Amino acid sequence: MLNYSFDIKKTSEKCIDDGISAASALGINNLEISAVIDGRPLWTLDGRQLEALRDKIIDAGKIIALISLDDRLGREETKRFFRAAHLLGALYIKVDGELPADELDSLAHTAESFDMKALIENNADTSIKTDDDLARVSDGTQRSKLGIIYNPAEFVRLSHHPFFHMFYRSHLKNDIVFLRVADSLYSGGFTDLGHGNCEIKELISILCARSFDRYGFFSISDYAGEGSAARALHDIKQLYKLM
């Protein structure tokens, strides 16, 4: 059984209820959310507001698999954010991999102290474009190791082969925690899973062979921008065909 997560980051920034409803329609209980919920940063919420948010998530039968922290916070804000994430039961925190090594190390160590793990993600618009870049940043932390969100579509944007060029020679294979499930073309744009250049079938197969399905997440999102629930449901059906 594959372990899915649903990326409702953009939706949760405006209305987390809509994101929860969309996830429920898909039968997915693991959520990826923003650090800004309903227009308010988590580190600004008081105890009552955080408890209300936690109760809403629990009542819906959801788990916060990932919170994306895009802002660069001060020391006190960082502490408040991690306390909030811990109260919400978050498992992983996505951090900005372009931060200085000492700041990344501090974030990774703080996450670990709250029984969470900090992750970085490759993105063609940043300095973390390739597997070598992921390794450079990951190897730069001293106290706590960073995990990886592996996004094959971002490699395709740079005309790389996500499996044969990036994954195959990587020494970070065991550090991948989320695989972004999408397929895109070198010529641009997204397409059905298995019909593009993301080598998604090969990635899923090799990760499952490495027991990824026991601990990792196959991240579903509306990457094509065609309506979150509808597109995500389509991708899930295509994913089953690839297995």
Side-chain angles (χ1 to χ4, degrees), residues 178-204:
F178 287 79
L179 174 68
R180 299 293 193 197
V181 177
D183 214 342
S184 58
L185 301 165
Y186 289 133
S187 58
F190 288 88
T191 186
D192 287 348
L193 294 181
H195 294 270
N197 301 113
C198 283
E199 299 168 340
I200 198 72
K201 182 176 182 179
E202 291 84 353
L203 286 167
I204 292 171

Side-chain angles (χ1 to χ4, degrees), residues 41-168:
L42 287 176
W43 57 90
T44 68
L45 302 182
D46 60 29
R48 180 181 56 81
Q49 292 167 324
L50 284 170
E51 288 179 5
L53 178 57
R54 180 192 62 186
D55 291 345
K56 178 182 295 186
I57 292 166
I58 292 173
D59 290 345
K62 305 305 179 192
I63 295 170
I64 303 301
L66 179 70
I67 300 179
S68 292
L69 179 62
D70 297 327
D71 296 279
R72 190 175 187 179
L73 305 180
R75 184 176 180 179
E76 290 304 315
E77 288 178 326
T78 299
K79 288 181 180 179
R80 288 197 295 270
F81 165 74
F82 277 105
R83 289 193 191 105
H86 181 68
L87 181 66
L88 296 176
L91 303 177
Y92 298 95
I93 306 296
K94 178 188 169 185
V95 297
D96 181 359
E98 293 190 295
L99 290 173
D102 60 334
E103 291 188 39
L104 276 176
D105 187 59
S106 178
L107 286 172
H109 186 65
T110 302
E112 192 172 77
S113 70
F114 280 97
D115 200 26
M116 294 178 281
K117 189 176 184 66
L119 311 179
I120 56 173
E121 180 173 4
N122 61 294
N123 187 312
D125 293 325
T126 70
S127 61
I128 309 176
K129 303 177 186 296
T130 67
D131 176 74
D132 287 340
D133 296 326
L134 287 168
R136 168 180 52 80
V137 175
S138 178
D139 293 344
T141 56
Q142 303 297 319
R143 294 176 293 177
S144 303
K145 192 168 180 60
L146 293 163
I148 303 299
I149 301 171
Y150 199 81
N151 194 333
E154 292 298 312
F155 293 132
V156 168
R157 287 180 59 196
L158 300 170
S159 298
H160 295 310
H161 290 277
F163 176 70
F164 291 106
H165 285 171
M166 297 290 110
F167 180 89
Y168 194 75

Side-chain angles (χ1 to χ4, degrees), residues 1-2 4 200-209 213 218 236-243:
M1 183 67 179
L2 300 183
Y4 294 113
I200 198 72
K201 182 176 182 179
E202 291 84 353
L203 286 167
I204 292 171
S205 296
I206 194 64
L207 284 171
C208 285
D213 51 324
F218 293 94
I236 290 172
K237 291 179 179 178
Q238 292 296 119
L239 181 57
Y240 276 119
K241 292 181 181 179
L242 293 178
M243 299 302 295

